[in-house]
Amino acid sequence: MDALWEGFQEAVRLIVRGDAGLREVAWRTIVVSGSATLLAMAAGVPTGYGLARGRFPGRTLVLSAVNTGMGMPPVVVGLIVWLFLVRSGPLGDLELIYTKRAMVVAQFLIAVPLVIGFTAAAVQALPAELPDLLAALGAGRLRTLWLLAREAQLGILAAVMAGFGGVISEVGASMTVGGNIQGDTRVLTTAIVTETSRGENANAMALGIVLLVMAFAVNLLLTAVQQRRRR
Amino acid sequence: MEVRIDGLRFLRRGDCVLDVPKLVFASGRTTALVGPNGAGKSTLLRLIVALERLDAGTIRIGGEQVRPDRRTRGHVAFAFQRAVFVGGSVWHNLDLALRLRGVPGDERRKRAAGAAAACGVDHLLDRPAHQLSGGEAQRVNLARALSLRAPVTLLDEPLSGLDAPARRQLLHDLPGILRAFATTTIIVTHDRDEALRLAGDLVVLIGGRVHAAGARADVFGNPPDAECAAFLGYTLIPDGGGVLAVAPRALRIGPGEVTFNLTVEELLDFGMRREVWGRIAGVPATVSLPMGENDNAGRLTVSAPERAVRRYCG
């Protein structure tokens, strides 16, 4: 309990002091996980919609793969990305390994099945007649897509929250493909691991609290949007 | 506007589910498209509004060929069997439908209010659409379609899913509502009584083919074949090589112009009236039994007037 209390005090001290190291790691965490989430949204929402509404051979197989991906251990994703991006790997020439971009790629791969899966479920929960109703009323394809997305917004925002929550809290993939390089690829989760291994429990706890507050703030914002629209 | 169908064929997974060489829904008339479940009624409505693609033939609305575009859909208002809504109030749903049709703001308010009042839902305009009861939802569904003031209105089972009082009320109100909006209306139903109450014309669709089309009295009074008669509620009784079709509610106790023997199976007492359920030549039949008549007989002589009986060859 002491470590928890000390960690809390240290977190307050770091935040109040505006600690430059903390600011830098926190900002990097937001940039990396935020970019990965935005990319996962851009790819995952339309894909989830297509999977929910489309009928094509192999659809069940794809949905099963997505559902499996939703529970994929981040460290395994990190390992696969590492194997591709490492200098001797098939994409080694891109020289992405141990960079923030490699971390974004890995986190994107973690988030995208979550966004696809939640979006598909949200769209499938809409009444099957709704797209036909909108078409019969004269809505074009894009207008229909927009109106359906509005109807499924509760689920789609849940998808985004799940995606962001999945990547901001993961450590295995970021560590494997980012390398936890101080001042370059260290993010809050990998910093916590480092501080813990050094026996700096209060620092680790402080970083953990900052991570929790950040995750809570982002989810609070998304939840507020979600619930406001619900009304 | 008239809806004219020529040489229509529609296939599903290689099977022909609709084959309609020629059919006309007359301008300004209300037509009931009736038939058993799976006859292709709803599919025909979906083809008229171009939600499905024809495999052969043409559908024309007011002389213009139906296409999956805004122009065709602007001619048609479609109330789906299940009343579905977007999130928001009833008003928002009516307004959205009119906005999608490009109706300007003032006109939208006027039309939505008018249709809501005509359908008896003007007191529900601020209610979230997803919180409506079954009867309210069907009325709002109807109001949404009628507010569009399209030349052609398609109603797919408008009374489905309603409890008995709500159904009876809407069945009573609907003809007046439709008269007030005076469009070419096609109502899909599998309920004979609904069809007879709501429409001046009948089209009987069985197994994807039109068995009868014409004025209500002509089709109901003179079904062209036994299958059509059976769907319209006639009792089909084997008679030599053919069948006799007795019109619904035409059987009476006692001898008459066309007489049958009814083997009594059950007597149902409804308090004010009674019904005998039994069989004529093995075929289930029902006849009203006046109060006070002998109800102990195992067999009854029943009859129907000649004009209520049709004969079909085997």
Side-chain angles (χ1 to χ4, degrees):
Chain A
M1 286 304 289
D2 284 351
L4 194 66
W5 176 238
E6 283 170 25
F8 180 73
Q9 288 175 311
E10 181 63 17
V12 172
R13 260 198 302 277
L14 287 171
I15 292 165
V16 169
R17 225 171 44 214
D19 182 84
L22 173 69
R23 265 211 320 262
E24 182 206 315
V25 173
W27 176 244
R28 190 177 300 122
T29 304
I30 287 181
V31 169
V32 170
S33 295
S35 306
T37 307
L38 286 175
L39 289 171
M41 265 176 72
V45 171
T47 308
Y49 180 88
L51 271 177
R53 297 270 306 131
R55 294 289 175 269
F56 54 88
R59 178 174 169 273
T60 306
L61 202 69
V62 177
L63 270 173
S64 303
V66 167
N67 290 335
T68 307
M70 288 172 81
M72 191 86 140
V75 69
V76 176
V77 177
L79 177 63
I80 294 166
V81 174
W82 184 84
L83 288 169
F84 272 86
L85 296 185
V86 76
R87 305 224 189 281
S88 57
L91 300 177
D93 290 346
L94 296 175
E95 297 188 346
L96 288 176
I97 195 69
Y98 306 131
T99 65
K100 288 187 283 294
R101 282 185 289 170
M103 293 162 73
V104 171
V105 169
Q107 292 198 354
F108 166 79
L109 292 174
I110 293 164
V112 80
L114 291 164
V115 177
I116 294 173
F118 276 93
T119 303
V123 173
Q124 279 181 309
L126 293 177
E129 299 88 344
L130 200 51
D132 283 344
L133 171 74
L134 296 172
L137 285 171
R141 195 177 285 265
L142 279 177
R143 191 88 184 263
T144 299
L145 265 173
W146 170 244
L147 288 167
L148 290 175
R150 278 177 65 93
E151 286 307 294
Q153 65 192 356
L154 279 176
I156 291 174
L157 282 167
V160 176
M161 283 188 261
F164 182 73
V167 294
I168 199 169
S169 60
E170 72 80 28
V171 60
S174 294
M175 190 74 94
T176 311
V177 302
N180 193 26
I181 302 166
Q182 190 173 9
D184 187 14
T185 61
R186 182 165 294 173
V187 287
L188 282 168
T189 50
T190 58
I192 291 169
V193 173
T194 307
E195 294 298 315
T196 309
S197 65
R198 282 183 189 154
E200 300 284 352
N201 292 344
N203 272 351
M205 199 59 228
L207 292 167
I209 288 168
V210 170
L211 178 62
L212 276 177
V213 169
M214 269 172 45
F216 179 74
V218 171
N219 279 308
L220 181 67
L221 181 72
L222 289 170
T223 307
V225 173
Q226 187 190 45
Q227 297 305 311
R228 183 171 59 82
R229 291 196 171 167
R230 191 181 176 200
R231 287 194 294 271
Chain B
M1 275 186 183
E2 172 190 90
V3 179
R4 178 176 287 274
I5 295 171
D6 288 296
L8 182 154
R9 277 173 69 80
F10 178 72
L11 309 180
R12 189 168 282 144
R13 287 186 284 275
D15 295 330
C16 183
V17 294
L18 265 179
D19 184 2
V20 182
K22 192 169 189 61
L23 182 62
V24 177
F25 296 96
S27 179
R29 303 272 298 171
T30 298
T31 305
L33 183 56
V34 299
N37 291 331
K41 309 183 295 292
S42 296
T43 304
L44 187 53
L45 289 198
R46 292 174 61 82
L47 286 164
I48 291 172
V49 73
L51 289 173
E52 306 279 355
R53 195 186 295 267
L54 289 169
D55 289 291
T58 57
I59 300 177
R60 288 191 164 80
I61 298 177
E64 274 185 38
Q65 192 159 338
V66 162
R67 294 179 205 286
D69 57 21
R70 277 178 70 89
R71 187 167 171 77
T72 286
R73 286 167 180 160
H75 290 145
V76 184
F78 191 170
F80 285 75
Q81 180 175 359
R82 184 171 157 218
V84 290
F85 302 105
V86 296
S89 65
V90 167
W91 178 267
H92 172 67
N93 274 272
L94 297 181
D95 185 66
L96 175 67
L98 290 162
R99 244 186 310 138
L100 290 172
R101 288 290 166 98
V103 179
D106 284 349
E107 179 67 11
R108 285 206 303 271
R109 275 187 287 281
K110 213 164 68 184
R111 284 207 210 171
C119 295
V121 291
D122 42 344
H123 62 295
L124 300 173
L125 288 172
D126 294 328
R127 182 92 67 85
H130 288 143
Q131 291 177 11
L132 298 173
S133 71
E136 290 168 344
Q138 281 296 13
R139 280 176 182 267
V140 172
N141 195 24
L142 188 65
R144 179 171 54 192
L146 292 174
S147 70
L148 302 176
R149 296 197 192 157
V152 176
T153 301
L154 311 177
L155 307 178
D156 193 355
E157 303 271 7
L159 305 177
S160 70
L162 300 185
D163 57 30
R167 181 180 176 279
R168 200 165 42 244
Q169 186 65 51
L170 190 53
L171 192 58
H172 183 268
D173 296 346
L174 197 49
I177 295 171
L178 293 177
R179 266 197 303 277
F181 284 83
T183 70
T184 305
T185 306
I186 305 172
I187 303 176
V188 156
T189 176
H190 62 269
D191 185 292
R192 179 199 67 211
D193 294 332
E194 254 177 57
L196 294 175
R197 164 77 182 124
L198 297 176
D201 294 338
L202 287 183
V203 172
V204 182
L205 195 64
I206 300 172
R209 286 169 173 75
V210 174
H211 280 237
R216 170 179 55 199
D218 294 341
V219 173
F220 185 66
N222 195 13
D225 57 53
E227 209 175 349
C228 185
F231 176 75
L232 292 171
Y234 282 66
T235 303
L236 301 190
I237 300 163
D239 179 45
V243 290
L244 293 178
V246 182
R249 294 190 273 272
L251 286 172
R252 295 283 178 271
I253 301 283
E257 291 175 355
V258 185
T259 302
F260 307 97
N261 285 319
L262 177 83
T263 305
V264 178
E265 291 181 341
E266 201 174 355
L267 177 81
L268 299 181
D269 191 342
F270 297 107
M272 298 295 290
R273 64 185 180 87
R274 293 181 299 171
E275 269 182 13
V276 177
W277 287 55
R279 288 177 188 273
I280 299 171
V283 175
T286 311
V287 58
S288 288
L289 184 68
M291 300 303 285
E293 291 255 346
N294 173 21
D295 55 8
N296 293 323
R299 286 172 79 82
L300 286 172
T301 298
V302 297
S303 64
E306 186 67 46
R307 63 188 155 73
V309 180
R310 308 253 79 82
R311 290 178 169 78
Y312 301 104
C313 297

